[in-house]
């Protein structure tokens, strides 16, 4: 088994400023999506989670490096250093540049600001000394400025790089004597052209590349990730806009030097679109709206729901017009500007289709007629006479924040929605995954979230924890029962909530790669659990890992038909589950599809004991592992591991306990 490095992690823990993290996410997502998932990560996750196998680059953004020290010194830095030495990439921006050097000297002699000390990572083998320019004030732009950088073009083997450009600067240092360390794998990528405020030794290195074992680090003093469009209008920053292409080209070249695949054109995040609410029986859409009446307010004749996370405005198809290519976008001014946005402040517009399905010109990337036709066909084949009818009401948006967020974070609406209502989208711009993960969801991914109202009275024989197992089974069974000839599509389950496929690039038939994931969030409310089951599956897209259509099916999968097939399987399984619990029928099906039969693992929480996976318990879905003794023979001693307190690093055979 081999893990594909598809994550770019931006540290957002102690020491990092919110603004710096947001600038990193904004710029890196445009340059690296959809090849990589650019996501924030906490200090706890770096210390405790198995992140290194799937990570291509770790980014330490601007902020205060003492905060980084307090959180990451010791185990965190050991893991970071090992990650880079074994082929990973590290990008340190401003404070992250100080932090990646052997020694930090910041405002020496200034009793209010002075920070001096050695640093554990030591990617750069000498001192980062600052501030290079005077006037720095924490959490302020009082000392911020535009600085000119001279680029060492010969240091870049590929990519278009400028001779010079101007970059945002606020408190960075200079890498002392950088040219002297060329024989140690240090290359100067860019230098200051202006006189600086501290002793730089030889050279005026503002950006350096450091070879570290099999990996590398790029450390910067300025902020090449700060896009002018996201900065306040200020005469000090006017030159930045003129050099924006040069800034972007330089940053691209740095990322390529670190071994990442970069978009030649920036991948602009699209504007949020309208949401379309429709039903299998079109007239029943009004019943969904009627269930929301007590939380709907009317302002200037328009209907709104102001919920915990979002505000929704309800419209009829006749109340909006189709004009131009961007007809289905929200018309909020902020939504159409390509800059950092707070998506929760943008009004989400819901078009209610009570008489007929949305026309193809209204939703060109999702054919409602095809979806509902397939749903009706597959539903007729259900083995359950009266199943729960998942997917009979859908809320579709071409571009949404996150289908899970729309349902789960708006609790007033969630409490009133019918079980089985499903939100789906073509593109997510703020998708969520389990723990600290985010599932990349470019066009071509099947993305959806389903509401399930699970009665507390059923918990005795049908615990809510099994929803993730039922969802996983529905995905695999839905793929294999998509149509005739699909039963041998090589997809498997990874405990507890991931979907893997045999890599089409591997001729040995042994390498599996992740193509999907499941996220279940549950709230207790009165006599039931309100659960939102979120699912993402790479279907027709080739990035960031692989997709179902790359597995050479008899005919390409379509999103509408696959969604209908998975939802009807899920509905059938859930209906049976309410009656029988996770019985032997489900257990045998689960083992038939999972990756872990007799897998040998190391239980880190038990002192590194070797154990063999035996299955899951049918009462609470716990993972069962048996201790192995001499010659890997079972000792009879068993452990049970919970899904919400353990993480399974399949590629290393480790089961870790989360703290």
């Amino acid at each position: 088994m081999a893990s594909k490095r598809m994550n770019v992690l931006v540290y957002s823990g102690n020491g990092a400023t919110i603004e710096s993290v947001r600038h990193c996410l904004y710029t890196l997502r445009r340059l690296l999506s959809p090849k990589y998932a650019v996501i924030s990560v906490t200090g706890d996750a770096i210390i405790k989670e198995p992140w290194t196998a799937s990570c291509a680059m770790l980014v330490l953004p601007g902020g205060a490096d003492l905060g980084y020290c307090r959180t990451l010194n010791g185990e965190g830095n050991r893991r970071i250093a090992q990650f880079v030495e074994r082929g990973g990439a590290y990008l340190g921006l401003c404070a992250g540049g100080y932090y990646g050097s052997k020694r930090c000297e910041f405002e020496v002699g200034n009793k209010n600001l002075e920070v001096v000390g050695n640093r554990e990572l030591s990617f750069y083998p000498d001192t980062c000394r600052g501030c290079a320019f005077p006037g720095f004030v924490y959490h302020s732009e009082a000392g911020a400025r535009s600085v000119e950088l001279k680029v060492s073009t010969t240091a870049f083997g590929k990519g278009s790089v400028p001779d010079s450009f101007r970059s945002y600067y606020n408190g960075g240092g200079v890498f002392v004597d950088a040219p002297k360390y060329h024989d140690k794998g240090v290359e100067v990528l860019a230098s200051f052209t202006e006189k600086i405020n501290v002793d730089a030794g030889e050279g005026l290195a503002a950006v350096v590349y450091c070879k570290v074992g099999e990996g590398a680090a790029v450390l910067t003093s300025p902020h090449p990730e700060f896009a002018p469009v996201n900065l306040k209008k200020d005469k000090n920053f006017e030159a930045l806009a003129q050099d924006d292409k040069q800034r972007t080209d330089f940053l691209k070249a740095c990322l390529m030097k670190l071994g990442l695949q970069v978009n030649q054109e920036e991948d602009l995040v699209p504007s949020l679109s309208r949401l379309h609410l429709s039903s299998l029986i079109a007239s029943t859409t009004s019943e969904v709206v009627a269930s929301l009446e007590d939380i709907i307010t009317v302002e200037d004749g328009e209907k709104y729901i102001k919920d915990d996370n979002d505000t929704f405005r309800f419209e009829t198809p006749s109340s909006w017009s189709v004009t131009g290519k961007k007809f289905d976008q929200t018309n909020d001014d902020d939504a159409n500007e390509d800059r950092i946005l707070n998506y929760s402040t943008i009004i989400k517009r819901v078009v209610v289709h009570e008489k007929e399905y949305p026309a193809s010109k209204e939703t060109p990337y999702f054919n409602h007629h095809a979806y509902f036709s397939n749903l009706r066909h597959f539903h007729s084949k259900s083995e359950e006479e009266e199943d729960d009818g998942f997917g009979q009401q859908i809320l579709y948006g071409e571009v949404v924040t996150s289908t899970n967020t729309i349902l789960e974070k708006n609790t007033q609406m969630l409490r009133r929605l019918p079980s089985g209502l499903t939100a789906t989208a073509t593109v997510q711009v703020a998708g969520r995954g389990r723990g600290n993960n985010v599932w990349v969801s470019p066009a071509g991914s099947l993305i959806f979230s389903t509401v399930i109202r699970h009665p507390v009275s059923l918990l005795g024989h049908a615990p809510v924890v099994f929803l993730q197992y039922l969802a996983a089974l529905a995905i695999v069974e839905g793929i294999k029962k998509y149509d005739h000839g699909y039963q041998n599509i090589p997809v498997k389950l990874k405990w507890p909530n991931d979907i893997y496929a045999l890599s089409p690039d591997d001729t040995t038939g042994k390498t599996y790669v992740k193509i999907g994931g499941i996220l279940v969030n549950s709230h207790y409310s009165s006599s039931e659990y309100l659960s939102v089951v979120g699912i993402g599956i790479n279907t027709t897209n080739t990035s960031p890992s692989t997709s179902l259509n790359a597995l050479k099916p008899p005919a390409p999968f379509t999103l509408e038909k696959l969604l209908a097939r998975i939802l009807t399987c899920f509905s059938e399984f859930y209906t049976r589950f309410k009656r029988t619990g996770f019985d032997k029928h489900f257990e045998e099906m689960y083992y038939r599809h999972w990756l872990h039969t007799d897998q040998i693992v190391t239980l880190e929480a038990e002192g590194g004991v070797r154990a063999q996976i035996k299955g899951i318990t049918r009462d609470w879905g716990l993972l069962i592992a048996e201790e192995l003794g001499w010659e890997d023979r079972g000792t009879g001693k068993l452990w049970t591991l919970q899904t919400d307190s353990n993480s399974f690093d399949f590629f290393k055979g480790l089961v870790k306990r989360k703290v």
Side-chain angles (χ1 to χ4, degrees):
M1 299 287 174
S3 177
K4 185 171 181 178
R5 292 189 169 188
M6 54 176 274
N7 290 332
V8 170
L9 305 180
V10 178
Y11 174 79
S12 62
N14 187 22
T17 65
I18 294 174
E19 281 303 304
S20 292
V21 172
R22 292 178 71 192
H23 278 282
C24 279
L25 295 174
Y26 172 90
T27 295
L28 293 178
R29 281 173 177 165
R30 280 156 177 73
L31 299 183
L32 299 175
S33 177
K35 295 292 185 183
Y36 303 92
V38 182
I39 56 182
S40 60
V41 63
T42 64
D44 273 353
I46 287 177
I47 294 168
K48 299 170 184 175
E49 295 282 351
W51 55 272
T52 57
S54 60
C55 180
M57 181 173 71
L58 177 66
V59 183
L60 270 286
D65 100 312
L66 276 182
Y68 303 166
C69 293
R70 295 187 186 103
T71 298
L72 300 174
N73 273 359
E75 178 61 16
N77 286 336
R78 184 193 68 79
R79 292 180 124 208
I80 294 171
Q82 186 180 75
F83 160 72
V84 178
E85 288 165 358
R86 292 180 177 178
Y90 173 98
L91 178 61
L93 302 161
C94 196
Y98 284 110
Y99 191 65
S101 300
K102 184 176 182 180
R103 182 173 175 81
C104 168
E105 293 183 2
F106 182 82
E107 290 295 288
V108 176
N110 183 331
K111 63 180 181 180
N112 295 320
L113 294 176
E114 181 177 284
V115 177
V116 178
N118 294 334
R119 297 292 180 261
E120 293 179 349
L121 293 178
S122 298
F123 296 144
Y124 178 66
D126 204 325
T127 302
C128 183
R129 181 177 293 149
C131 294
F133 300 95
F136 175 78
V137 179
Y138 275 114
H139 307 296
S140 167
E141 289 192 328
R145 64 178 66 198
S146 163
V147 297
E148 185 180 48
L149 300 175
K150 175 67 174 176
V151 178
S152 304
T153 55
T154 56
F156 298 96
K158 55 184 176 180
S160 173
V161 291
D163 292 327
S164 64
F165 70 100
R166 300 194 74 83
S167 177
Y168 179 89
Y169 167 92
N170 193 11
V174 64
F175 299 95
V176 176
D177 288 328
K180 292 182 179 180
Y181 297 103
H182 189 269
D183 60 345
K184 292 188 176 182
V186 174
E187 299 177 53
V188 177
L189 303 184
S191 302
F192 294 115
T193 62
E194 307 163 54
K195 181 180 179 181
I196 63 174
N197 203 42
V198 293
D199 181 8
E202 182 180 334
L204 294 171
V207 183
V208 294
Y209 169 90
C210 309
K211 183 64 178 169
V212 183
E214 297 178 6
V218 168
L219 311 180
T220 80
S221 165
H223 286 276
E225 80 284 12
F226 274 40
V229 70
N230 294 317
L231 298 172
K232 68 181 182 181
K233 304 270 191 243
D234 189 299
K235 64 180 182 180
N236 292 324
F237 306 141
E238 289 176 357
L240 296 179
Q242 299 171 12
D243 281 8
D244 195 41
K245 184 181 184 303
Q246 293 91 323
R247 172 194 69 85
T248 302
D249 287 344
F250 175 77
L251 187 54
K252 285 181 182 179
C254 290
L255 294 172
M256 286 191 286
K257 193 170 178 69
L258 286 171
L260 279 77
Q261 298 179 59
V262 179
N263 297 327
Q264 291 310 305
E265 299 294 332
E266 287 190 55
D267 190 16
L268 303 182
V269 174
S271 299
L272 299 183
S273 66
R274 284 176 169 84
L275 302 168
H276 296 266
L277 179 64
S278 60
S279 302
L280 177 64
I281 302 173
S283 60
T284 62
T285 306
S286 58
E287 296 175 10
V288 178
V289 178
S291 70
L292 305 173
E293 281 296 334
D294 62 326
I295 57 171
I296 290 178
T297 59
V298 179
E299 298 178 13
D300 298 326
E302 304 289 349
K303 293 183 176 182
Y304 293 88
I305 290 179
K306 298 179 180 179
D307 217 320
D308 300 335
N309 193 76
D310 296 295
T311 296
F312 300 90
R313 172 181 164 180
F314 289 83
E315 304 173 347
T316 60
S318 61
S319 66
W320 60 285
S321 60
V322 178
T323 56
K325 293 178 68 175
K326 297 184 178 181
F327 64 86
D328 200 34
Q329 293 180 354
T330 60
N331 60 12
D332 298 78
D333 291 340
D334 283 350
N336 293 310
E337 289 191 27
D338 184 41
R339 58 185 179 83
I340 295 174
L341 296 175
N342 181 357
Y343 287 111
S344 64
T345 66
I346 298 173
I347 294 174
K348 315 304 184 296
R349 304 189 171 204
V350 182
V351 182
V352 180
H353 297 265
E354 297 177 316
K355 297 180 179 180
E356 56 187 3
Y357 302 151
S360 59
K361 66 181 180 180
E362 298 172 275
T363 60
Y365 297 99
F366 188 86
N367 187 323
H368 284 76
H369 290 269
Y371 165 72
F372 283 121
S373 175
N374 280 292
L375 188 77
R376 186 179 288 108
H377 169 71
F378 290 133
H379 180 70
S380 69
K381 296 179 176 295
S382 175
E383 295 181 5
E384 296 291 328
E385 291 186 6
E386 296 183 5
D387 74 20
D388 282 56
F390 288 2
Q392 292 191 17
Q393 298 91 19
I394 63 168
L395 184 66
Y396 166 78
E398 182 180 326
V399 182
V400 305
T401 50
S402 158
T403 57
N404 252 46
T405 296
I406 287 172
L407 297 178
E408 191 253 332
K409 293 298 184 183
N410 293 294
T411 55
Q412 292 186 68
M413 190 167 67
L414 176 61
R415 292 191 190 104
R416 293 161 175 82
L417 292 175
S419 191
L421 181 140
T422 296
T424 186
T426 299
V427 174
Q428 287 186 152
V429 295
R432 298 165 57 208
R434 189 170 185 260
N436 295 296
N437 298 320
V438 169
W439 182 251
V440 183
S441 49
S445 296
L446 177 59
I447 314 156
F448 65 99
S449 300
T450 299
V451 176
I452 298 180
R453 309 178 74 99
H454 191 69
V456 171
S457 60
L458 300 181
L459 293 184
H461 71 280
V464 73
V465 68
F466 278 103
L467 291 181
Q468 62 188 329
Y469 299 118
L470 296 178
L473 286 174
I475 294 169
V476 174
E477 286 283 311
I479 291 168
K480 291 178 177 290
K481 294 180 178 179
Y482 177 83
D483 212 328
H484 298 296
Y486 289 75
Q487 64 273 12
N488 294 321
I489 297 292
V491 290
K492 293 284 187 180
L493 311 177
K494 171 183 167 291
W495 183 85
N497 51 18
D498 288 327
I499 309 299
Y500 276 65
L502 189 66
S503 174
D505 300 324
D506 178 44
T507 56
T508 67
K510 297 180 179 180
T511 301
Y512 280 82
V513 293
K514 182 176 177 179
I515 63 163
I518 302 162
L519 174 66
V520 181
N521 293 107
S522 297
H523 303 267
Y524 176 73
S525 177
S526 185
S527 60
E528 62 186 359
Y529 276 95
L530 296 175
S531 299
V532 176
V533 181
I535 291 172
I537 309 164
N538 283 348
T539 306
T540 65
N541 54 302
T542 57
S543 297
S545 56
T546 191
S547 67
L548 290 177
N549 279 350
L551 303 179
K552 299 180 180 178
F557 287 92
T558 66
L559 298 178
E560 295 89 347
K561 185 175 178 178
L562 183 60
L563 176 60
R565 177 73 280 200
I566 291 173
L567 283 173
T568 49
C569 286
F570 196 7
S571 187
E572 179 182 328
F573 294 166
Y574 177 67
T575 302
R576 178 189 175 102
F577 172 69
K578 289 192 298 180
R579 188 177 70 253
T580 68
F582 200 79
D583 61 4
K584 193 167 184 63
H585 169 80
F586 284 126
E587 184 181 42
E588 290 175 351
M589 187 189 304
Y590 194 83
Y591 293 153
R592 188 163 65 246
H593 294 313
W594 83 335
L595 282 164
H596 309 299
T597 301
D598 296 329
Q599 183 183 354
I600 295 177
V601 298
T602 301
L603 302 180
E604 289 199 345
E606 304 297 335
V609 170
R610 280 171 62 82
Q612 189 173 54
I613 299 300
K614 307 304 291 185
I616 59 173
T617 66
R618 278 164 49 186
D619 53 359
W620 295 104
L622 307 181
L623 189 71
I624 305 169
E626 181 183 13
E627 181 184 49
L628 294 177
W630 185 65
E631 292 186 341
D632 279 345
R633 295 178 180 177
T635 67
K637 184 176 181 179
L638 300 177
W639 283 275
T640 56
L641 306 163
Q642 298 180 47
T643 60
D644 59 355
S645 61
N646 298 276
S647 59
F648 202 144
D649 188 348
F650 183 69
F651 302 105
K652 292 187 177 180
L654 301 175
V655 178
K656 301 184 178 183
R657 185 169 299 280
K658 292 183 181 178
V659 179

